[in-house]
Amino acid sequence: MSAVLPTADRPTPLHAHRRAAADGALLGALDYAALGLTHLAGPRVDAWDAGPARRRPGALQLADAGGWAFGAIDLPEDGRGLTALARQAYGEVFAALHALGRPPLLRLWNYLPRINDESSGLERYRQFNVGRQEAFVAAGEDAFAGSPAACALGKAEGSLSIRFLAGPTRVLPLENPRQVPAWRYSQRYGPKAPTFSRAVLADVGGGRVALLVSGTASIVGEDSVHPGDVRAQTDETLANLRALLATAHARSDARFALDALALTVYLRHPQDRAAVQERLALAAPQAGANAIWLQADVCRSELLVEIEAHAIAPGRLPT
Ligand code: 3EB
């Protein structure tokens, strides 16, 4: 345990806010316009706050408050390819976290230019997965069971952008019984598996537990299902979210209702919004109405929609 961090059982409370702009005394924020995504509807910024933050500018911008850390790195493409870029970016993420005393990672957000394009015979998302997994292993981080929650979305152009949240708390990774763990995907989906857990639970202080749900799509086992049918993909995604909530409820006394989740909905085609909104309105009207809606390419070309979520509720993690 690092001396600079508060004790793990009493972290400085962490709060999640959704807002119209990325200003104020925040730990960090997902500012989707700054990330190069097209905003379709809902709040423009998903922010995290843990009191006054210390900021360390640099190639990797790091803010920390009360042991919580939020980092941002944007690396322009330099001709070496996405594997090398991901390896470098993640090397810098881990170097920054190690300098802070290795607070565990809860969540990573990855935004890749032209995610579904292919070069040198390999889709760029799969190139990214190679470099990411290699960097986790090189840094001695859990690349398989125990990896953080994450998402990986595509944007038209620009830098490889990574944001992360780490904290002075134990992180409980969750898997979805309807899906193969992503870190165990077969080589059909690339030479190295993605590095993420389906969700994490973490003590965020003040007697509250956060549930951070990774990007969730229409995947059963390891197969994409309902190609070309965005309504059925949405329903399958909702079934995956429900299964994850049941898993969370088996691991903690915190209770998370589907309709109380803060959702972020990524659509490959903006014109699918009404159809997805209609399916969400049936299953989770409140969550659908409060969602952030973005255009982004999803990491498999047949996937049309991906939904991620977070929520904070009273409760405790098992000791
Ligand atoms: C999937 O379930 C869909 O590579 O970090 C979801 C969440 C997805 C995270 C990642 C990818 C990632 O495989 C894609």
Side-chain angles (χ1 to χ4, degrees), residues 206-287:
R208 298 171 314 137
V209 171
L211 173 68
L212 301 173
V213 178
S214 293
T216 304
S218 183
I219 295 175
V220 178
E222 66 168 12
D223 299 321
S224 307
V225 294
H226 318 299
D229 184 343
V230 75
R231 286 183 181 79
Q233 287 196 14
T234 305
D235 291 345
E236 201 70 57
T237 301
L238 288 164
N240 280 329
L241 291 172
R242 286 199 182 88
L244 269 171
L245 293 179
T247 303
H249 292 164
R251 302 293 298 276
S252 160
D253 62 0
R255 285 296 168 264
F256 302 98
L258 181 66
D259 206 21
L261 298 179
L263 302 181
T264 302
V265 183
Y266 298 98
L267 300 175
R268 183 178 294 278
H269 305 302
Q271 63 270 29
D272 285 341
R273 181 152 73 95
V276 173
Q277 181 73 267
E278 168 205 303
R279 303 311 298 169
L280 277 184
L282 294 172
Q286 189 78 32

Coordinates of all heavy atoms in Angstrom, one line a residue, residues 206-287:
G206 N -17.8 6.8 1.0 CA -19.1 7.3 1.4 C -20.1 6.2 1.5 O -21.3 6.4 1.3
G207 N -19.7 4.9 1.6 CA -20.6 3.8 1.7 C -21.3 3.5 0.3 O -22.4 3.0 0.3
R208 N -20.6 3.8 -0.7 CA -21.2 3.6 -2.1 C -20.3 2.8 -2.9 O -19.1 2.8 -2.8 CB -21.4 5.0 -2.8 CG -22.4 5.9 -2.0 CD -22.5 7.3 -2.6 NE -21.1 7.7 -2.8 CZ -20.8 8.4 -3.9 NH1 -21.6 8.7 -4.8 NH2 -19.5 8.8 -4.0
V209 N -20.9 2.1 -3.9 CA -20.2 1.2 -4.8 C -20.5 1.7 -6.2 O -21.7 2.0 -6.6 CB -20.7 -0.2 -4.6 CG1 -20.2 -1.1 -5.7 CG2 -20.3 -0.8 -3.3
A210 N -19.5 1.8 -7.1 CA -19.7 2.1 -8.5 C -19.7 0.8 -9.3 O -18.9 -0.1 -9.1 CB -18.6 3.0 -9.0
L211 N -20.6 0.8 -10.3 CA -20.6 -0.2 -11.3 C -20.2 0.5 -12.6 O -20.9 1.4 -13.0 CB -22.0 -0.9 -11.5 CG -22.1 -1.9 -12.6 CD1 -21.3 -3.1 -12.4 CD2 -23.6 -2.2 -12.8
L212 N -19.1 0.0 -13.2 CA -18.7 0.6 -14.5 C -18.8 -0.5 -15.5 O -18.0 -1.6 -15.4 CB -17.2 1.1 -14.4 CG -17.0 2.2 -13.4 CD1 -15.5 2.5 -13.2 CD2 -17.7 3.4 -13.8
V213 N -19.7 -0.4 -16.5 CA -19.9 -1.4 -17.5 C -19.2 -1.1 -18.8 O -19.4 0.0 -19.3 CB -21.4 -1.6 -17.8 CG1 -21.7 -2.6 -18.8 CG2 -22.2 -1.9 -16.5
S214 N -18.4 -2.1 -19.2 CA -17.7 -1.9 -20.5 C -18.6 -1.7 -21.7 O -19.8 -2.1 -21.6 CB -16.8 -3.1 -20.8 OG -15.8 -3.2 -19.8
G215 N -18.1 -1.3 -22.8 CA -18.9 -1.3 -24.0 C -19.5 -2.7 -24.2 O -18.8 -3.7 -24.1
T216 N -20.8 -2.7 -24.5 CA -21.6 -3.9 -24.5 C -22.3 -3.9 -25.8 O -23.0 -3.0 -26.2 CB -22.5 -4.0 -23.3 OG1 -21.8 -3.9 -22.1 CG2 -23.3 -5.3 -23.3
A217 N -22.2 -5.1 -26.5 CA -22.8 -5.1 -27.9 C -23.5 -6.5 -28.0 O -23.7 -7.2 -27.1 CB -21.7 -5.0 -28.9
S218 N -24.0 -6.7 -29.3 CA -24.8 -7.9 -29.6 C -23.9 -9.1 -29.9 O -23.8 -9.5 -31.0 CB -25.7 -7.5 -30.8 OG -26.5 -8.6 -31.1
I219 N -23.3 -9.5 -28.8 CA -22.3 -10.6 -28.9 C -22.8 -11.7 -27.9 O -23.1 -11.4 -26.7 CB -20.9 -10.2 -28.6 CG1 -20.4 -9.3 -29.7 CG2 -20.0 -11.4 -28.5 CD1 -19.0 -8.7 -29.4
V220 N -23.0 -12.9 -28.4 CA -23.3 -14.1 -27.5 C -22.3 -15.1 -27.7 O -21.9 -15.4 -28.8 CB -24.7 -14.6 -27.9 CG1 -25.1 -15.8 -27.0 CG2 -25.8 -13.5 -27.7
G221 N -21.8 -15.7 -26.6 CA -20.5 -16.5 -26.7 C -19.4 -15.5 -27.1 O -19.1 -14.5 -26.4
E222 N -18.9 -15.8 -28.3 CA -18.0 -14.8 -28.9 C -18.4 -14.3 -30.2 O -17.7 -13.6 -30.9 CB -16.5 -15.3 -28.9 CG -16.3 -16.5 -29.8 CD -14.8 -16.8 -30.1 OE1 -14.0 -16.3 -29.3 OE2 -14.6 -17.6 -31.0
D223 N -19.7 -14.7 -30.6 CA -20.1 -14.4 -31.9 C -21.0 -13.2 -32.0 O -21.9 -13.0 -31.1 CB -21.0 -15.6 -32.5 CG -20.2 -16.9 -32.6 OD1 -19.0 -16.8 -32.9 OD2 -20.7 -17.9 -32.2
S224 N -20.8 -12.3 -33.0 CA -21.8 -11.2 -33.2 C -23.1 -11.9 -33.7 O -23.1 -12.8 -34.5 CB -21.3 -10.3 -34.3 OG -20.0 -9.9 -34.0
V225 N -24.2 -11.4 -33.2 CA -25.5 -11.9 -33.6 C -26.4 -10.8 -34.1 O -26.2 -9.6 -33.8 CB -26.2 -12.7 -32.5 CG1 -25.4 -14.0 -32.1 CG2 -26.4 -11.9 -31.2
H226 N -27.4 -11.2 -35.0 CA -28.3 -10.2 -35.6 C -27.6 -9.2 -36.5 O -27.9 -8.0 -36.5 CB -29.1 -9.5 -34.6 CG -29.6 -10.3 -33.4 ND1 -30.5 -11.4 -33.6 CD2 -29.4 -10.2 -32.1 CE1 -30.7 -11.9 -32.4 NE2 -30.1 -11.3 -31.5
P227 N -26.7 -9.7 -37.4 CA -26.1 -8.7 -38.4 C -27.2 -8.0 -39.2 O -28.2 -8.6 -39.6 CB -25.2 -9.6 -39.2 CG -25.7 -11.0 -39.1 CD -26.3 -11.1 -37.7
G228 N -27.0 -6.7 -39.3 CA -28.0 -6.0 -40.1 C -29.3 -5.6 -39.5 O -30.1 -4.9 -40.1
D229 N -29.5 -6.0 -38.2 CA -30.8 -5.7 -37.6 C -30.5 -4.9 -36.3 O -30.2 -5.5 -35.2 CB -31.5 -7.1 -37.3 CG -32.9 -6.9 -36.7 OD1 -33.2 -5.7 -36.2 OD2 -33.7 -7.8 -36.7
V230 N -30.6 -3.6 -36.4 CA -30.2 -2.8 -35.2 C -31.1 -3.0 -34.1 O -30.7 -2.9 -32.9 CB -30.0 -1.3 -35.7 CG1 -31.4 -0.6 -35.9 CG2 -29.2 -0.6 -34.7
R231 N -32.4 -3.2 -34.3 CA -33.4 -3.4 -33.2 C -33.0 -4.7 -32.4 O -32.9 -4.7 -31.2 CB -34.8 -3.5 -33.7 CG -35.4 -2.2 -34.2 CD -36.8 -2.3 -34.6 NE -37.3 -1.0 -35.1 CZ -37.1 -0.5 -36.3 NH1 -36.4 -1.2 -37.1 NH2 -37.6 0.7 -36.6
A232 N -32.8 -5.8 -33.2 CA -32.4 -7.0 -32.5 C -31.1 -6.9 -31.8 O -30.9 -7.5 -30.7 CB -32.4 -8.2 -33.5
Q233 N -30.1 -6.2 -32.4 CA -28.9 -6.0 -31.7 C -29.0 -5.2 -30.4 O -28.4 -5.5 -29.4 CB -27.9 -5.2 -32.7 CG -27.3 -6.1 -33.8 CD -26.1 -5.5 -34.5 OE1 -25.5 -4.6 -33.9 NE2 -25.8 -6.1 -35.6
T234 N -29.9 -4.2 -30.4 CA -30.2 -3.5 -29.2 C -30.8 -4.4 -28.1 O -30.4 -4.3 -27.0 CB -31.2 -2.3 -29.5 OG1 -30.6 -1.5 -30.6 CG2 -31.4 -1.4 -28.3
D235 N -31.8 -5.2 -28.5 CA -32.4 -6.1 -27.5 C -31.3 -7.1 -27.0 O -31.3 -7.4 -25.8 CB -33.5 -6.9 -28.2 CG -34.7 -5.9 -28.5 OD1 -34.8 -4.8 -28.0 OD2 -35.6 -6.4 -29.2
E236 N -30.5 -7.6 -27.8 CA -29.4 -8.5 -27.3 C -28.5 -7.8 -26.4 O -28.0 -8.3 -25.4 CB -28.7 -9.1 -28.6 CG -28.0 -10.4 -28.3 CD -28.9 -11.5 -28.0 OE1 -29.8 -11.8 -28.9 OE2 -28.9 -12.2 -27.0
T237 N -28.1 -6.6 -26.7 CA -27.3 -5.8 -25.9 C -27.9 -5.5 -24.5 O -27.3 -5.6 -23.5 CB -27.0 -4.4 -26.6 OG1 -26.3 -4.7 -27.8 CG2 -26.1 -3.5 -25.7
L238 N -29.2 -5.3 -24.5 CA -29.9 -5.1 -23.3 C -29.9 -6.4 -22.5 O -29.8 -6.4 -21.2 CB -31.4 -4.6 -23.5 CG -31.5 -3.1 -24.0 CD1 -32.8 -2.9 -24.6 CD2 -31.2 -2.2 -22.8
A239 N -30.1 -7.5 -23.1 CA -30.0 -8.8 -22.4 C -28.6 -9.0 -21.8 O -28.5 -9.5 -20.7 CB -30.3 -10.0 -23.4
N240 N -27.6 -8.6 -22.5 CA -26.2 -8.6 -21.9 C -26.1 -7.7 -20.7 O -25.5 -8.0 -19.7 CB -25.2 -8.3 -23.0 CG -24.9 -9.5 -23.9 OD1 -25.0 -10.6 -23.5 ND2 -24.6 -9.2 -25.2
L241 N -26.7 -6.5 -20.8 CA -26.6 -5.6 -19.7 C -27.3 -6.2 -18.5 O -26.9 -6.1 -17.3 CB -27.2 -4.2 -20.1 CG -26.4 -3.4 -21.1 CD1 -27.1 -2.2 -21.5 CD2 -25.0 -3.0 -20.5
R242 N -28.5 -6.8 -18.7 CA -29.3 -7.4 -17.6 C -28.5 -8.5 -16.9 O -28.4 -8.7 -15.7 CB -30.6 -7.9 -18.1 CG -31.6 -6.9 -18.4 CD -33.0 -7.5 -18.4 NE -34.0 -6.5 -18.7 CZ -34.4 -6.2 -20.0 NH1 -33.8 -6.8 -21.0 NH2 -35.3 -5.3 -20.2
A243 N -27.8 -9.3 -17.8 CA -27.0 -10.4 -17.2 C -25.9 -9.9 -16.4 O -25.5 -10.5 -15.3 CB -26.5 -11.3 -18.4
L244 N -25.3 -8.8 -16.8 CA -24.2 -8.2 -16.0 C -24.7 -7.6 -14.7 O -24.0 -7.7 -13.7 CB -23.5 -7.0 -16.8 CG -22.3 -7.5 -17.7 CD1 -21.9 -6.3 -18.6 CD2 -21.2 -7.9 -16.8
L245 N -25.9 -7.0 -14.7 CA -26.5 -6.5 -13.5 C -26.7 -7.7 -12.5 O -26.4 -7.6 -11.3 CB -27.8 -5.8 -13.7 CG -27.6 -4.5 -14.5 CD1 -29.0 -3.8 -14.8 CD2 -26.7 -3.5 -13.8
A246 N -27.2 -8.8 -13.0 CA -27.4 -10.0 -12.1 C -26.1 -10.4 -11.5 O -26.0 -10.8 -10.4 CB -28.1 -11.1 -12.9
T247 N -25.0 -10.4 -12.4 CA -23.7 -10.8 -11.8 C -23.2 -9.8 -10.8 O -22.7 -10.2 -9.7 CB -22.7 -10.8 -13.0 OG1 -23.2 -11.7 -14.0 CG2 -21.3 -11.3 -12.6
A248 N -23.5 -8.5 -11.0 CA -23.1 -7.5 -10.0 C -23.8 -7.7 -8.7 O -23.3 -7.6 -7.6 CB -23.3 -6.1 -10.5
H249 N -25.1 -8.1 -8.8 CA -26.0 -8.2 -7.6 C -25.6 -9.5 -6.8 O -25.8 -9.6 -5.6 CB -27.4 -8.3 -8.0 CG -27.9 -7.0 -8.5 ND1 -29.1 -6.8 -9.2 CD2 -27.4 -5.7 -8.4 CE1 -29.3 -5.5 -9.6 NE2 -28.2 -4.9 -9.1
A250 N -24.9 -10.4 -7.5 CA -24.5 -11.6 -6.8 C -23.2 -11.4 -6.0 O -22.8 -12.2 -5.2 CB -24.3 -12.8 -7.8
R251 N -22.5 -10.2 -6.4 CA -21.2 -10.0 -5.8 C -21.2 -8.9 -4.8 O -20.1 -8.6 -4.2 CB -20.2 -9.6 -6.9 CG -20.0 -10.7 -8.0 CD -19.3 -12.0 -7.4 NE -18.0 -11.7 -7.0 CZ -16.9 -11.7 -7.8 NH1 -17.0 -11.9 -9.0 NH2 -15.7 -11.5 -7.2
S252 N -22.3 -8.1 -4.6 CA -22.3 -7.0 -3.7 C -23.7 -6.8 -3.3 O -24.7 -7.2 -4.0 CB -21.8 -5.7 -4.5 OG -22.2 -4.6 -3.9
D253 N -23.9 -6.1 -2.2 CA -25.3 -5.8 -1.7 C -25.8 -4.5 -2.4 O -26.9 -4.1 -2.2 CB -25.4 -5.7 -0.2 CG -24.5 -4.6 0.4 OD1 -23.8 -3.9 -0.4 OD2 -24.5 -4.5 1.6
A254 N -25.0 -3.8 -3.2 CA -25.4 -2.6 -3.9 C -26.4 -3.1 -5.0 O -26.3 -4.1 -5.6 CB -24.3 -1.9 -4.6
R255 N -27.5 -2.3 -5.3 CA -28.5 -2.6 -6.2 C -28.5 -1.6 -7.4 O -28.6 -0.4 -7.1 CB -29.9 -2.7 -5.6 CG -30.0 -4.0 -4.7 CD -29.9 -5.2 -5.6 NE -29.8 -6.5 -4.9 CZ -28.6 -7.1 -4.6 NH1 -27.5 -6.5 -5.1 NH2 -28.5 -8.2 -4.0
F256 N -28.4 -2.1 -8.6 CA -28.3 -1.3 -9.8 C -29.5 -1.6 -10.7 O -29.6 -2.8 -11.2 CB -27.0 -1.5 -10.5 CG -25.8 -1.2 -9.7 CD1 -25.1 -2.3 -9.0 CD2 -25.4 0.1 -9.5 CE1 -24.0 -2.0 -8.3 CE2 -24.2 0.3 -8.7 CZ -23.6 -0.7 -8.1
A257 N -30.4 -0.7 -10.9 CA -31.5 -1.0 -11.8 C -31.1 -0.6 -13.2 O -30.4 0.4 -13.4 CB -32.8 -0.1 -11.4
L258 N -31.5 -1.4 -14.2 CA -31.2 -1.1 -15.6 C -31.7 0.3 -15.9 O -30.9 1.1 -16.6 CB -32.0 -2.1 -16.5 CG -31.8 -1.9 -18.0 CD1 -30.3 -2.2 -18.4 CD2 -32.7 -2.8 -18.8
D259 N -32.8 0.7 -15.4 CA -33.4 2.0 -15.8 C -32.7 3.2 -15.1 O -33.0 4.3 -15.3 CB -34.9 2.0 -15.5 CG -35.6 3.0 -16.4 OD1 -35.1 3.4 -17.4 OD2 -36.7 3.5 -16.0
A260 N -31.8 2.9 -14.1 CA -31.1 3.9 -13.4 C -29.7 4.1 -13.9 O -28.9 4.9 -13.3 CB -31.1 3.6 -11.9
L261 N -29.3 3.3 -14.9 CA -27.9 3.4 -15.4 C -27.7 4.7 -16.2 O -28.6 5.1 -16.9 CB -27.6 2.2 -16.3 CG -27.6 0.8 -15.6 CD1 -27.2 -0.2 -16.7 CD2 -26.7 0.8 -14.4
A262 N -26.5 5.3 -16.1 CA -26.1 6.4 -17.0 C -25.6 5.7 -18.3 O -24.5 5.1 -18.2 CB -25.1 7.3 -16.3
L263 N -26.3 5.7 -19.3 CA -25.9 5.0 -20.6 C -25.2 5.9 -21.6 O -25.6 7.1 -21.7 CB -27.2 4.5 -21.3 CG -28.1 3.5 -20.5 CD1 -29.3 3.1 -21.4 CD2 -27.3 2.3 -20.0
T264 N -24.3 5.4 -22.3 CA -23.7 6.0 -23.5 C -23.9 5.1 -24.6 O -23.5 3.9 -24.6 CB -22.2 6.3 -23.3 OG1 -22.1 7.1 -22.1 CG2 -21.6 7.0 -24.5
V265 N -24.6 5.6 -25.6 CA -25.0 4.8 -26.8 C -24.2 5.2 -28.0 O -24.2 6.4 -28.4 CB -26.5 4.9 -27.1 CG1 -26.9 4.0 -28.3 CG2 -27.3 4.6 -25.9
Y266 N -23.4 4.3 -28.5 CA -22.6 4.6 -29.7 C -23.3 3.9 -30.9 O -23.6 2.7 -30.9 CB -21.2 4.0 -29.6 CG -20.4 4.5 -28.5 CD1 -20.3 3.8 -27.3 CD2 -19.7 5.7 -28.7 CE1 -19.5 4.3 -26.2 CE2 -18.8 6.2 -27.6 CZ -18.8 5.5 -26.4 OH -18.0 6.0 -25.4
L267 N -23.6 4.7 -32.0 CA -24.3 4.2 -33.1 C -23.4 4.3 -34.3 O -22.8 5.4 -34.6 CB -25.5 5.0 -33.5 CG -26.6 5.1 -32.4 CD1 -27.7 6.0 -32.8 CD2 -27.2 3.7 -32.2
R268 N -23.3 3.2 -35.1 CA -22.5 3.3 -36.3 C -23.2 4.2 -37.3 O -22.5 5.0 -38.0 CB -22.3 1.9 -36.9 CG -21.5 1.8 -38.2 CD -21.3 0.4 -38.7 NE -20.6 -0.4 -37.9 CZ -19.2 -0.5 -37.8 NH1 -18.5 0.3 -38.5 NH2 -18.7 -1.3 -36.9
H269 N -24.5 4.1 -37.4 CA -25.3 5.0 -38.3 C -26.2 5.9 -37.5 O -27.1 5.4 -36.9 CB -26.1 4.1 -39.3 CG -25.3 3.1 -40.0 ND1 -24.2 3.4 -40.8 CD2 -25.4 1.7 -40.0 CE1 -23.7 2.3 -41.3 NE2 -24.4 1.2 -40.9
P270 N -26.0 7.2 -37.6 CA -26.8 8.1 -36.8 C -28.3 7.9 -37.1 O -29.2 8.1 -36.2 CB -26.4 9.5 -37.3 CG -25.1 9.3 -38.0 CD -25.0 7.9 -38.4
Q271 N -28.7 7.5 -38.3 CA -30.1 7.3 -38.7 C -30.8 6.2 -37.9 O -32.0 6.0 -38.0 CB -30.3 7.2 -40.2 CG -29.6 6.0 -40.8 CD -28.2 6.2 -41.3 OE1 -27.5 7.1 -40.7 NE2 -27.8 5.5 -42.3
D272 N -30.0 5.4 -37.2 CA -30.6 4.3 -36.4 C -31.1 4.7 -35.0 O -31.6 3.9 -34.3 CB -29.5 3.1 -36.2 CG -29.3 2.3 -37.4 OD1 -30.2 2.3 -38.3 OD2 -28.3 1.6 -37.5
R273 N -30.9 6.0 -34.8 CA -31.2 6.5 -33.4 C -32.7 6.2 -33.0 O -32.9 5.8 -31.9 CB -30.9 8.0 -33.2 CG -31.1 8.5 -31.8 CD -30.2 9.6 -31.4 NE -30.6 10.8 -32.1 CZ -31.4 11.8 -31.6 NH1 -31.9 11.6 -30.4 NH2 -31.7 12.9 -32.3
A274 N -33.6 6.5 -33.9 CA -35.0 6.3 -33.5 C -35.3 4.9 -33.2 O -36.0 4.5 -32.2 CB -35.9 6.8 -34.6
A275 N -34.8 4.0 -34.0 CA -35.0 2.5 -33.8 C -34.4 2.1 -32.4 O -35.1 1.3 -31.7 CB -34.4 1.7 -34.9
V276 N -33.2 2.5 -32.1 CA -32.6 2.1 -30.9 C -33.3 2.8 -29.7 O -33.6 2.1 -28.7 CB -31.1 2.5 -30.9 CG1 -30.4 2.2 -29.5 CG2 -30.4 1.7 -32.0
Q277 N -33.7 4.0 -29.9 CA -34.4 4.8 -28.8 C -35.7 4.0 -28.5 O -36.1 3.9 -27.3 CB -34.7 6.2 -29.3 CG -35.4 7.1 -28.3 CD -34.5 7.5 -27.2 OE1 -34.5 6.9 -26.1 NE2 -33.8 8.6 -27.3
E278 N -36.4 3.5 -29.5 CA -37.7 2.8 -29.4 C -37.5 1.6 -28.5 O -38.2 1.3 -27.6 CB -38.2 2.5 -30.8 CG -39.4 1.5 -30.8 CD -39.4 0.9 -32.2 OE1 -39.5 1.6 -33.2 OE2 -39.3 -0.4 -32.2
R279 N -36.4 0.8 -28.8 CA -36.2 -0.4 -28.0 C -35.8 -0.1 -26.6 O -36.2 -0.7 -25.7 CB -35.1 -1.3 -28.7 CG -35.3 -1.7 -30.1 CD -36.7 -2.3 -30.4 NE -36.9 -3.5 -29.7 CZ -38.1 -4.1 -29.6 NH1 -39.2 -3.5 -30.2 NH2 -38.3 -5.2 -28.9
L280 N -35.0 1.0 -26.4 CA -34.6 1.4 -25.1 C -35.8 1.9 -24.3 O -35.9 1.6 -23.1 CB -33.5 2.5 -25.2 CG -32.1 2.1 -25.3 CD1 -31.2 3.3 -25.3 CD2 -31.6 1.1 -24.3
A281 N -36.7 2.6 -25.0 CA -37.9 3.1 -24.3 C -38.7 2.0 -23.7 O -39.3 2.2 -22.6 CB -38.7 4.0 -25.2
L282 N -38.7 0.9 -24.3 CA -39.5 -0.3 -23.8 C -38.8 -0.9 -22.6 O -39.5 -1.3 -21.6 CB -39.7 -1.3 -24.9 CG -40.5 -0.9 -26.1 CD1 -40.5 -2.0 -27.2 CD2 -42.0 -0.7 -25.7
A283 N -37.5 -1.0 -22.6 CA -36.8 -1.7 -21.6 C -36.3 -0.8 -20.4 O -36.3 -1.3 -19.3 CB -35.5 -2.4 -22.2
A284 N -36.0 0.4 -20.7 CA -35.4 1.3 -19.7 C -35.7 2.8 -20.1 O -34.8 3.5 -20.6 CB -33.9 1.1 -19.6
P285 N -37.0 3.2 -20.0 CA -37.4 4.5 -20.5 C -36.6 5.7 -20.0 O -36.2 6.6 -20.7 CB -38.8 4.6 -20.2 CG -39.1 3.6 -19.1 CD -38.1 2.5 -19.4
Q286 N -36.3 5.6 -18.6 CA -35.6 6.7 -18.0 C -34.1 6.7 -18.5 O -33.6 7.8 -18.9 CB -35.6 6.4 -16.5 CG -35.1 7.6 -15.6 CD -36.1 8.7 -15.5 OE1 -37.3 8.4 -15.5 NE2 -35.6 9.9 -15.4
A287 N -33.5 5.6 -18.5 CA -32.1 5.5 -18.9 C -32.0 5.9 -20.4 O -31.0 6.6 -20.8 CB -31.6 4.1 -18.7

